[in-house]
Every structure is written in structure tokens, then in C-alpha cells.
């Protein structure tokens, strides 16, 4: 079944939660129809944007061998197959609040073609720099001085 997508409402809900950069790795059945896969990705993207998020990237990594046999939650309705040795990997990178991430996870849980999904809080290089002690990091100190000088000039 292909879900029907509706355009986003003009009244986008604004959440008080902080936007988090997520990486979602989805393992899909290898024989999934391209249209069904596209519809699933569109539905997820639509949900992220509808809730005020931003989809940064969608990557199709192709059909790959699983490290071990994966059991589907339900047998395939066409072939009756329950266990899979290979599958298609799809990555979605998006900024969203935690409640939107839970909604995306529920959408993927309902979809018949999805074997597994994993959500990770992705980290950027800036996160690794700022996680260190800012007093010892010369780059962070330089940016803080520049911002302080800019603020003083404006005052």
C-alpha cells in the first residue's frame, strides 16, 4: 500500500524543543518496489518538514549483504519470505525535535518494507571541537573574542 501524501499545512507547528541532527539508517527488503520506497521516504520527509524540521540528505546505499540473517516482523505477502540475507540500506539525515523523531520512527515501524531502523544523533566536527575544554581550544577562544569585539562595536 502506498500512503497518500497531503501538502504541508500553512500553519506549521512550532515546538519549544531544540532541533537535533539525526541520522536514520533504514534496512529495507531487497525486492521493494521503487515507487513504494520513494513514497516512504517522501512521507518521512514530509513529516519532518511539517513539524518545522529540515531534511539535509537522503542516500540510497543499494542492496548489500547483511552481517547475519534478519527476520522480518511479518512474512512478505507476495513471496511468503520471512528471513533475509540481504537488503537495501537507506540513510536519512535531518534536523528535528525529539517528538518528530518519534513520529518518524512510528511511520517506519508501520511500513511493511522496513526490516530494521536505527536513529542516531549525528555529530558534526563543530560538536567535537566544542565538547573539549573551550578554555584550552584556541579556535573557540578566537571565535569568542571576535564575537565579543563585534558586540562591543555595535554597542
Amino acid at each position: 500500500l502506498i500512503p497518500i501524501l497531503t501538502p504541508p499545512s500553512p500553519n506549521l507547528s512550532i515546538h519549544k524543543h531544540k532541533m537535533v541532527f539525526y541520522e536514520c539508517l533504514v534496512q529495507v527488503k531487497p525486492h521493494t518496489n521503487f515507487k513504494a520506497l520513494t513514497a516512504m521516504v517522501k512521507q518521512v520527509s514530509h513529516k519532518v518538514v511539517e513539524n518545522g524540521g529540515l531534511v539535509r540528505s537522503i542516500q540510497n546505499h543499494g542492496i548489500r549483504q547483511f552481517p547475519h540473517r534478519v527476520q522480518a516482523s511479518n512474512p512478505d505477502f507476495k513471496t511468503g519470505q520471512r528471513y533475509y540475507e540481504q537488503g537495501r540500506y537507506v540513510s536519512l539525515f535531518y534536523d528535528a525535535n525529539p517528538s518528530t523523531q518519534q513520529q518518524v520512527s512510528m511511520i517506519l515501524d508501520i511500513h511493511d518494507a522496513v526490516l530494521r531502523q536505527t536513529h542516531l544523533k549525528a555529530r558534526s566536527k563543530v560538536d567535537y571541537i566544542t565538547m573539549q575544554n573551550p578554555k584550552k581550544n584556541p579556535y573557540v577562544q578566537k571565535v569568542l573574542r571576535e564575537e565579543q569585539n563585534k558586540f562591543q562595536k555595535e554597542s
Side-chain angles (χ1 to χ4, degrees):
L1 295 173
I2 299 174
I4 299 173
L5 298 176
T6 57
S9 66
N11 301 328
L12 295 177
S13 58
I14 298 174
H15 299 281
K16 295 179 181 178
H17 297 290
K18 181 180 176 186
M19 292 291 172
V20 181
F21 180 37
Y22 290 107
E23 174 183 1
C24 178
L25 180 65
V26 182
Q27 296 173 350
V28 183
K29 294 177 183 177
H31 59 272
T32 303
N33 184 348
F34 180 74
K35 288 184 179 182
L37 185 63
T38 304
M40 179 190 67
V41 171
K42 282 183 180 179
Q43 186 179 12
V44 168
S45 301
H46 179 73
K47 180 57 75 177
V48 170
V49 172
E50 185 179 68
N51 290 325
L54 172 71
V55 178
R56 293 190 187 192
S57 174
I58 301 167
Q59 298 174 357
N60 183 352
H61 301 289
I63 297 174
R64 298 190 178 199
Q65 197 73 22
F66 290 140
H68 54 82
R69 190 171 71 160
V70 174
Q71 180 179 356
S73 57
N74 297 313
D76 190 60
F77 65 92
K78 287 184 182 176
T79 63
Q81 187 175 359
R82 179 91 185 221
Y83 297 96
Y84 293 88
E85 307 263 334
Q86 58 182 344
R88 182 174 302 277
Y89 285 84
V90 178
S91 293
L92 294 105
F93 297 90
Y94 63 93
D95 292 301
N97 56 43
S99 64
T100 303
Q101 183 268 331
Q102 290 174 350
Q103 292 174 11
V104 167
S105 184
M106 286 186 348
I107 289 170
L108 294 173
D109 282 340
I110 293 171
H111 221 279
D112 186 48
V114 175
L115 294 171
R116 290 192 178 170
Q117 59 164 314
T118 304
H119 272 88
L120 303 169
K121 286 185 181 178
R123 295 202 179 264
S124 66
K125 291 180 182 180
V126 175
D127 292 332
Y128 289 112
I129 291 172
T130 57
M131 282 190 317
Q132 298 172 357
N133 188 348
K135 293 180 181 176
K136 293 183 180 179
N137 190 327
Y139 301 106
V140 172
Q141 289 298 313
K142 182 180 176 183
V143 170
L144 291 174
R145 279 194 303 273
E146 288 175 0
E147 286 182 0
Q148 188 177 21
N149 290 339
K150 184 179 177 181
F151 180 72
Q152 288 175 352
K153 287 179 183 179
E154 291 176 359
S155 298

